[in-house]
Structure formats: C-alpha cells, structure tokens
Amino acid sequence: MRSRERRVAEAVTAYLARAGQHPEPRALAHVVGAAAGAASCALVIDQQRYQWGEHPGPWLEHDISYGDVVVGTLAVAPESVRRLPAVAAVLGPPVATIRMAEGTDRLRREGDAATRALADERWRAAAEMELQRRGLERDLHDGAQHNLVALRMSLALLEHEISAGKGRERVPDLLAQLATAERVLLHTAAGILPGTLVADGVAVALRTEMAKHGTVTFDATEVRRRYPTPVESAVYFVVLEAVNNARKHAPGARIVVALRDDDRGLEFTVADDGPGFSMTTPNGGLSNLAMRAASVGGTIEVHSQPGAGTTVRGVVPL
C-alpha cells in the first residue's frame, strides 16, 4: 500500500475506533478527504450524498464493495488526487454498516408514517361518522319536526272542534299529515332529501312546504338559479326550523318567508309578528340555525325584542 493510501487507511481506522458501531458518513468523508490531501470528499450511499468540502470537481470516483456487493461510492476532488482503491476497500465494512443503519432508520420512519396515517384515517373516519350523526340529528330536528309540529297543532284544533260537536270530517286530512310525517322520517333516516328539493330546487321545495300553512306568506320571485345541493339543503332546513320556531313560540302569528339571490349569494328571511323575545335569553334553536348555515359557509342574524316579533336573516355567499 502506497504511503498516501496507508495514511488514509490509518486515519479511517482511528476514526472508526472512536466512532464505534455508529460512524457518521459526513465525518468519515472528512477523515478520508483530509488524510488524502483532497479539497473535497464525498460518500454516496443509497443515492444519498454525504460531502465534506465545497470543491466543484471534476471528481475521481471509486466503487466501495463489501463482499460481492457495491454498497457505495467514494468520490474525491480535485481529480488530480491519486486513485485510492485500497482506501475504498477499507471503507467497505463501515459503509455497509452505515447503509444498513440508514435502511433500518428509513424503514422505521416509513413504519411510523404508516402508523400515523392509519391513526389519522381512523380519526377522520370517526369524525366523519360524528358529522353524519349530527347531520342526521339536525335533519330529523329541522325536517321531520316541521311536519310533527303541524300535526300537533292540527290535532289541538281538531280536539277543540270535536268538543263542539264537529270536525270529524278533518280526520282524513290528519291521517294524510301523519303519513307525510312518517314518510319524511323514513327518508331522513335513509339520507334521502325531499324529491322537490333535489329535482326543482330550494325555492320550489319551500313553496310546497309553506303552502301547507295558512299563516305563512312565501316569496321566492327573486331566485333565478340553482345552487349546489349542500347549499340548497342547508337553506331549506334552516328556513323550516325558523318557521317551526315561529309557529311554536308565536302561535297564530303571521309569518313571512322570503328567498332571493344576488351578487352576494343566496339570502333568506323568516319574519313573524309574534310576541318576540329578549336576545339576552339563551336559545338553543338559534345555535342550531347558525351551525346549519355555517356548514356551507353561511351566516345567520336574528333580531327580536319583546312585543316586536322576530326576524331571522341569513346568507350563503357565492
């Protein structure tokens, strides 16, 4: 072995004795380069380059083998540095060790990433299930309850009429309302939106619902286009619940529902001339309205005071 290669081999052996079982590839390249009198030295292991020095090259390269397998490449610059085949042979075992350690670490990182991805996927699935559960809960509350409230009020009126000896002719109408409420419950549980909402849009669907209530006036003459199904569904259920709230808390009050679209987006208003309420009083129904609108990027404003009725305004932006 020539004196330069002997010097480099001795420097490598000394470094390995200090590093033990965990040689650091960039430090090893530094030891080789400095002992060989190179301006720069690099070890290339599994396409990863560990370089000492900033010489631009050209580079003189040697394969590093361990047994019959090439485990890396030794590169020195400038190219005028004499070839170092014996040094490349000495580097075989430590480079094989580094390669194995790097491979093990890569597999560990990939395993950790896969574990995190699986955990994230499980979390997303659980979150999606919770969102679907809450969505079903809101649909039951806002949609089916609308029909049940109407049925309850009709029953109360029928009870009063029967006590006065009349009203039996309204029984078939009540049975029809009961069948409608049952159908809405089944469709909601199955995730099926009202047919008119899907086929004809929110304006037609709300007009169909509002026509069932003599105290409700509906105007959608300024709705000129369709919106994505999630938007129309959210507005549909928000308006239904707002009307429900008015009918429950302001029985007999006149209710005006308006729907319009403009350059802001899809806007809606539900106003009644009932007794109103204090805005400082907690109201869970209003929170439900806001959550439903927010699910499609919309906002809700509620204005009310005792003796002045209640107005619910909302908009889902384009």
Side-chain angles (χ1 to χ4, degrees), residues 16 28 47 53 56 58 90 117 127 188 194 196-197 215 228 265 308:
L16 295 176
L28 184 55
Q47 300 182 342
V90 171
T188 302
T196 52
L197 177 61
T215 59

Side-chain angles (χ1 to χ4, degrees), residues 8 12 27-38 41 43 52 74 76 84 87 91:
V8 176
V12 169
L28 184 55
H30 182 186
V31 169
V32 173
C41 180
L43 293 175
W52 164 78
L74 169 65
V76 292
L84 304 169
V87 174
L91 291 173

Side-chain angles (χ1 to χ4, degrees), residues 77-95:
E79 198 175 25
S80 58
V81 176
R82 302 172 74 179
R83 294 187 64 82
L84 304 169
V87 174
V90 171
L91 291 173
V95 169

Side-chain angles (χ1 to χ4, degrees), residues 11 13 48 102 109 145 181 194 196 266 271 280 296 312:
T13 301
Q48 180 69 39
E102 291 292 328
R109 290 195 303 271
Q145 182 176 265
T196 52
L266 184 59
T280 59
V296 289
V312 177

Side-chain angles (χ1 to χ4, degrees), residues 109-185:
R109 290 195 303 271
E110 291 173 354
D112 289 347
T115 300
R116 288 194 298 271
L118 179 60
D120 289 346
E121 190 63 32
R122 287 175 175 171
W123 181 88
R124 280 192 294 269
E128 180 64 26
M129 290 174 62
E130 177 64 12
L131 285 175
Q132 291 178 357
R133 185 192 68 78
R134 289 180 177 274
L136 178 58
E137 180 182 5
R138 286 197 301 266
D139 289 349
L140 287 169
H141 181 273
D142 301 347
Q145 182 176 265
H146 177 77
N147 291 276
L148 294 175
V149 168
L151 181 60
R152 184 179 64 182
M153 296 181 70
S154 297
L155 283 171
L157 180 61
L158 179 61
E159 181 183 20
H160 175 73
E161 291 179 348
I162 288 178
S163 66
K166 54 183 180 179
R168 295 185 182 277
E169 68 279 1
R170 298 188 62 242
V171 171
D173 180 57
L174 288 178
L175 290 174
Q177 289 188 45
L178 182 60
T180 298
E182 181 181 18
R183 185 173 62 255
V184 170
L185 277 170

Side-chain angles (χ1 to χ4, degrees), residues 162 220-221 275 279 283 295 298:
I162 288 178
T221 55
M279 294 294 294
N283 190 314
S295 70

